[in-house]
Amino acid sequence: MADYSALAIVRNALTGNENWKPAWRKPEPKTRYDVVIIGGGGHGLATAYYLASEFGIRNVAVLEKGWLGSGNIGRNTTIVRSNYMLTGNVPFYEHSMKLWENLSHELNYNVMFSQRGIINLFHTPGQEDEAARRGNSMILQGVDARFVRPPELRRRVPALNVSGNTRFPVLGGLEQPRAGTARHDAVAWGYARGADRRGVDIIENCEVTGFVRDGDQVTGVETTRGRISAGKIGVAVAGSTNRVMALAGIERLPIESHVLQAFVTESVKPCLDTVVTFGGGHLYISQSDKGSLVFGGDIDGYNSYAQRGNLPIVEDVMSEVLELFPAFAKLRLLRSWGGIMDMSMDGSPIITKGPVPGLYLNAGWCYGGFKATPASGWCFAHTIARDEPHEHNAAFTLDRFHRGYVIDEKGQGATPWKH
Amino acid sequence: MIIPCPFCGPRDLSEFAYCGDADNLAARPDPASTDQAAWNAYAYDRANPAGEHAEIWQHAGGCRRHLRVVRNTVTHAIGAVEMVGSKS
């Protein structure tokens, strides 16, 4: 498998582009691995990559029931940011941001990471105070943040309605300049190739149907491609967490599955060169490098595994787009889709050893899984390799709910409906 | 999604407010209990099935009654709907 370089592009162009090799092998599963990762999404692939590259564990398999990129890694709105406030969260997401900043170089794979900034708008003096507090917390913890006032907003985001004649007049925004977007599929493909060339077996079309036990200890998995034994098993299956954990005898978790819809318009010329979020409602919007506007809003708000939503949220999100950007009313909507979110009860993720001996769990990403991909993989690999969490994921335990150490960034109660 | 309200008839999803898992609400510990583990499990842990799921919806934009709705979380198909407390 060749590196990607200008020379390789020229050489392959001269030979009719017929000599490119597949980016990863299609191996048959072996009967035993040191580590098996269930879930070939962004987090699972990143975990396998860092297990091999950082922790020297190369006898690893990633089991994916479909094909790489078919889950949430290929279904999100591609936003990357680390504008958090709480101490349990900030170092983790900032670690992720630092990994993002070097990711294309590290993987020799262009993930199209674009630090175009994110501007979180505020509309009331109370929201402005909250934004100032959040910005100060970020700066104190080594993250970048600044206020953007309406005159600058008019220049930076010309399509934004800052006239004051709106239901929620824009008073300003809190910007994280280093935030931005990345090409979501390329993240999966880059990690897959990087893991594969370090010896990791990526096994697609391989669904886990049960666990093999020796007493309390989980020692392997039953799959549609046979039994595979493993020293350690990591579960990183996003919206399917409850279904996979039920196979291990864990029937109840602090997680509900909800559908989150996203939308893409037809492609237009460059008109939005940053990410904007709407604090008066809940909208996040950016323009992809292809020119389409990519946006989403709230979850539909009731348990769902449907990977499709219902019309009330479509109407709600569209009304928010038009409230902020009236000119976008002329655009045609190209497509919409739904992804299944692991909504944890405090809005924060779970990366932990257990809850069963031999198992390791990575779950509960709510809205925030994509931006976390590098650090999630890094911390999960650390937890699996060392049998203890890294300091950046030490707070993301499963038992924090029962111990009373919830990490409630948004401050909205113990329901998963609002985060 | 259309939910057939026993009082008002079939109405659009947008008239309803979701109020959570019906079986979990039914499993609330005795209010006099100080069993912390039981209260924590009640507050945070969920069954979260892929398939039939009993849940409470309020017909907030209609008769305002609370309904126990069995809904399939994979297909959005609505099964049995009854008013909460109608059996008592």
Side-chain angles (χ1 to χ4, degrees):
Chain A
M1 274 157 274
D3 277 327
Y4 295 128
S5 66
L7 184 64
I9 290 169
V10 171
R11 192 169 57 236
N12 280 282
L14 291 174
T15 54
N17 281 313
E18 289 180 350
N19 295 314
W20 290 109
K21 297 286 188 292
W24 58 88
R25 297 166 293 128
K26 304 276 186 190
E28 285 299 310
K30 294 191 275 185
T31 53
R32 187 188 158 75
Y33 291 92
D34 293 339
V35 178
V36 164
I37 304 292
I38 304 172
H43 292 212
L45 292 166
T47 304
Y49 173 79
Y50 291 115
L51 274 172
S53 68
E54 296 290 324
F55 301 97
I57 301 175
R58 291 169 180 243
N59 186 22
V60 176
V62 177
L63 309 183
E64 166 56 46
K65 75 173 174 183
W67 35 274
L68 292 199
S70 59
N72 289 351
I73 187 71
R75 305 177 79 86
N76 59 73
T77 47
T78 79
I79 298 164
V80 172
R81 57 185 174 85
S82 62
N83 54 353
Y84 283 74
M85 185 164 73
L86 301 182
T87 45
N89 278 334
V90 179
F92 173 82
Y93 286 103
E94 181 58 12
H95 182 52
S96 208
M97 182 61 77
K98 286 177 176 148
L99 290 171
W100 277 112
E101 287 176 322
N102 193 43
L103 197 59
S104 292
H105 178 76
E106 156 127 18
L107 297 176
N108 174 240
Y109 203 105
N110 187 3
V111 301
M112 296 166 71
F113 182 47
S114 163
Q115 290 180 292
R116 59 188 69 180
I118 185 167
I119 300 173
N120 299 125
L121 299 175
F122 51 76
H123 312 265
T124 66
Q127 279 192 318
E128 182 171 348
D129 289 349
E130 197 279 335
R133 181 165 173 243
R134 177 176 296 270
N136 285 334
S137 171
M138 288 162 65
I139 291 166
L140 281 171
Q141 296 181 77
V143 185
D144 58 318
R146 60 187 288 273
F147 260 13
V148 186
R149 293 297 177 184
E152 186 185 344
L153 274 176
R154 279 190 194 93
R155 281 197 310 279
R156 285 278 302 281
V157 194
L160 179 66
N161 183 1
V162 282
S163 67
N165 298 322
T166 56
R167 176 71 180 79
F168 300 106
V170 175
L171 299 186
L174 178 69
E175 182 186 18
Q176 185 187 13
R178 285 162 64 239
T181 60
R183 176 71 209 280
H184 49 359
D185 295 312
V187 176
W189 299 332
Y191 273 122
R193 192 184 66 139
D196 178 271
R197 62 168 45 179
R198 283 165 180 79
V200 172
D201 283 355
I202 295 164
I203 300 162
E204 293 167 89
N205 300 309
C206 180
E207 184 174 355
V208 169
T209 55
F211 287 93
V212 182
R213 285 169 177 275
D214 180 9
D216 285 345
Q217 185 84 14
V218 174
T219 58
V221 286
E222 300 283 1
T223 77
T224 50
R225 297 182 65 177
R227 176 181 287 197
I228 301 170
S229 61
K232 297 176 177 180
I233 298 170
V235 179
V237 294
S240 298
T241 301
N242 279 78
R243 282 193 276 188
V244 172
M245 294 307 286
L247 299 174
I250 305 294
E251 296 291 343
R252 296 173 75 84
L253 287 166
I255 291 172
E256 282 186 3
S257 298
H258 287 237
V259 70
L260 176 63
Q261 301 188 68
F263 308 88
V264 168
T265 68
E266 60 186 324
S267 290
V268 290
K269 288 185 175 179
C271 60
L272 179 60
D273 69 352
T274 184
V275 183
V276 175
T277 78
F278 179 28
H282 187 201
L283 174 82
Y284 29 97
I285 183 166
S286 63
Q287 189 171 23
S288 79
D289 294 347
K290 281 194 296 191
S292 40
L293 291 156
V294 183
F295 53 95
D298 278 312
I299 54 175
D300 277 31
Y302 41 86
N303 293 44
S304 175
Y305 286 91
Q307 289 195 326
R308 63 185 172 81
N310 272 301
L311 284 169
I313 288 288
V314 179
E315 188 180 15
D316 182 60
V317 173
M318 297 308 145
S319 69
E320 293 181 349
V321 172
L322 300 190
E323 174 78 4
L324 281 188
F325 300 97
F328 291 174
K330 290 180 182 286
L331 294 179
R332 273 169 292 211
L333 198 65
L334 211 59
R335 59 183 181 271
S336 70
W337 67 94
I340 303 305
M341 309 292 106
D342 268 6
M343 301 305 294
S344 69
M345 292 289 161
D346 62 354
S348 293
I350 294 156
I351 305 178
T352 190
K353 188 180 170 181
V356 178
L359 270 192
Y360 300 78
L361 180 62
N362 179 322
W365 289 97
C366 300
Y367 288 97
F370 180 67
K371 69 173 104 49
T373 304
S376 167
W378 202 94
C379 289
F380 198 36
H382 184 286
T383 305
I384 292 169
R386 305 271 168 85
D387 269 322
E388 59 182 22
H390 186 265
E391 61 178 306
H392 292 336
N393 67 307
F396 298 158
T397 59
L398 186 56
D399 66 357
R400 66 174 184 268
F401 301 95
H402 290 193
R403 290 187 302 120
Y405 287 92
V406 292
I407 312 163
D408 201 338
E409 184 82 26
K410 209 173 169 187
Q412 284 191 334
T415 86
W417 311 331
K418 301 286 189 188
H419 286 292
Chain B
M1 207 158 87
I2 303 287
I3 298 178
C5 172
F7 196 78
C8 308
R11 296 300 177 94
D12 186 75
L13 169 67
S14 58
E15 293 187 8
F16 294 85
Y18 184 60
C19 306
D21 182 335
D23 291 339
N24 192 62
L25 288 177
R28 192 177 76 162
D30 178 356
S33 162
T34 55
D35 180 348
Q36 197 162 338
W39 279 104
N40 284 335
Y42 163 70
Y44 295 118
D45 295 342
R46 298 286 188 275
N48 195 26
E52 300 230 312
H53 187 237
E55 47 202 31
I56 305 291
W57 290 78
Q58 187 191 12
H59 193 184
C63 61
R64 301 198 59 75
R65 303 212 184 202
H66 286 83
L67 309 176
R68 183 180 194 276
V69 177
V70 177
R71 186 178 59 90
N72 189 304
T73 59
V74 179
T75 63
H76 293 326
I78 306 283
V81 179
E82 61 189 39
M83 291 192 202
V84 170
S86 61
K87 281 181 178 170
S88 58

